[in-house]
Each structure stands twice: as structure tokens, then as C-alpha cells.
Amino acid sequence: MTETDTSHEERLVDSLRARDEAAFAELVDRHTPMMLRVARGYVASSEVAEDVVQETWIAVLEGIDRFEGRSTLRTWLFRILVNIAKKRGLRDRHYSDATLAAFTGGATVDPARFRPDADPEYPHHWANPPASWPRTPEGSILGAEVFDVTSRELENLPDRQRTVVVLRDVLGYDAEEVSSMLSITPANQRVLLHRGRAHVRQVLEDYLGTGA
């Protein structure tokens, strides 16, 4: 975080410890939508996800005095959320690391679409890089259509893939934060992100007619 961000967070934490309702409302408004999406990746229904989020906010209020600042406030918040969601999810369905491994088999992109090992300039890079987006009115319309397609396909991803892709590519969290928030290993985070991105990319290629 920047010095300004750090200063703002310190003030926010102090306000939360003082039981400032406005500070708590700010935190709730900022994070609840994503918390619901993350919780939904662990539990059986949206209603249960709402319960998990509510329980998380209670835990935050009860635990804010013990927050030591070793991580960012949002990372600490999502760790609490994930821990509660995991415990609640065990009542609804069996959850284990095998769930993550379910998405690791097979190649997501045809290897023939990449340059070979022996390529003198760009080994393993795309054989045909994506074309630049047209800076025209037609390009703007197409951009809106692509955004709609992308949003729809994000919702169609398996819960864990969707959560990782949204955290990384929509909300801009880095890999370390996402791994910490979701209590998964860096390797699992990379697998889920890669598979989610690969699925959305393939759908967009099919939609635009740019696939190999």
C-alpha cells in the first residue's frame, strides 16, 4: 500500500476500535458484495452465504481490538470470512483439496498455438498475438458486447475459479493476497486463475471468430 493508503487504514482501524458506526458502514459497503461472492464458493446457497457474511462482520467487531496489522485489513477480513465459510460449508457438502484438484487435468490451450521451444526469438509465446482493439465507434460497440459476454461467462465458471478470477482480474488483488484470503496455496491459486482465464478466453475467441 502507499503511505496515504496506510494512513487511511490506520485511521479506519482506530475508528473501528472506537466503535464508530460510520467507519463500520464504510467497511461493510466496500467489501460486502465481494464477500458474498467468495462465501458462495464454499457454501450451498446464496442465503447461507449471507449468513456467513453476517457472522463475519460480527467476528470483525469482536476481533478488531486484536488486529495487529501484520496484513492489510481487507486480507484479515477475508481470512475470517473464508474460515467461517469453510466451517459452514462442511455442513452442506464435503469439501477438501480434491475440489481444487478437479480443475487441474489436461491442457487448457492447444500447444500448437504457441511457438516451439527452439524458436529463436519468443519460445512458448503465442504464434499469432491478439490484434489491437479498433479505436472506432464500431470498436466501442463491440467492446460493450465483449464486456457482456465476459461478465456472463464469469458467472458460469466453477465457484472457485470465478472467485479467483474476479479477485485478480476485476478487483486487482495480487496473487499473494488472493492465496491468503482464500487459504489456498500459490500453486492452487495459479491453477484456478489459469483455468478460469482460459475458459473465458476461449469463449471470447469463439464469439469473435478469432480462434485457430
Side-chain angles (χ1 to χ4, degrees), residues 2-3 20 27-28 33 44 49 53 57 65 70 72 90 107 109 136 138-139 142 149 157 164 195 198 205:
T2 65
E3 184 175 345
D20 185 324
L27 201 66
V28 170
V53 170
W57 287 124
D65 291 334
R70 295 178 181 176
T72 64
L90 288 174
V109 180
T136 63
E138 292 80 4
L142 183 59
V149 172
L157 289 174
V164 171
R195 293 210 157 265
E205 286 186 348

Side-chain angles (χ1 to χ4, degrees), residues 62-73:
E62 293 177 344
I64 190 63
D65 291 334
R66 299 188 298 276
F67 175 66
E68 299 178 350
R70 295 178 181 176
S71 63
T72 64
L73 183 62

Side-chain angles (χ1 to χ4, degrees), residues 27-63:
L27 201 66
V28 170
D29 290 344
R30 185 188 308 169
H31 293 298
T32 291
M34 191 61 222
M35 290 171 68
L36 287 168
R37 299 187 74 169
V38 171
R40 186 63 183 84
Y42 290 89
V43 299
S45 69
S46 297
E47 290 75 15
V48 176
E50 291 174 1
D51 290 343
V52 167
V53 170
Q54 183 176 3
E55 188 175 343
T56 299
W57 287 124
I58 293 172
V60 167
L61 287 176
E62 293 177 344

Side-chain angles (χ1 to χ4, degrees), residues 91-181:
R91 305 178 200 170
D92 303 326
R93 67 188 182 199
H94 175 70
Y95 175 81
S96 69
D97 288 341
T99 308
L100 298 174
F103 305 113
T104 62
T108 54
V109 180
D110 184 353
R113 298 184 62 187
F114 297 95
R115 293 174 182 260
D117 293 344
D119 188 275
E121 295 183 2
Y122 303 108
H124 308 298
H125 283 232
W126 289 100
N128 296 299
S132 299
W133 200 260
R135 297 179 179 274
T136 63
E138 292 80 4
S140 298
I141 295 172
L142 183 59
E145 294 176 359
V146 168
F147 179 81
D148 290 341
V149 172
T150 302
S151 298
R152 185 182 68 242
E153 290 308 314
L154 280 175
E155 293 303 319
N156 289 336
L157 289 174
D159 290 333
R160 304 305 303 282
Q161 289 183 22
R162 180 178 66 249
T163 298
V164 171
V165 173
V166 170
L167 285 170
R168 288 293 309 278
D169 294 342
V170 179
L171 297 181
Y173 291 101
D174 63 33
E176 183 177 356
E177 283 184 301
V178 173
S179 296
S180 179
M181 287 177 185

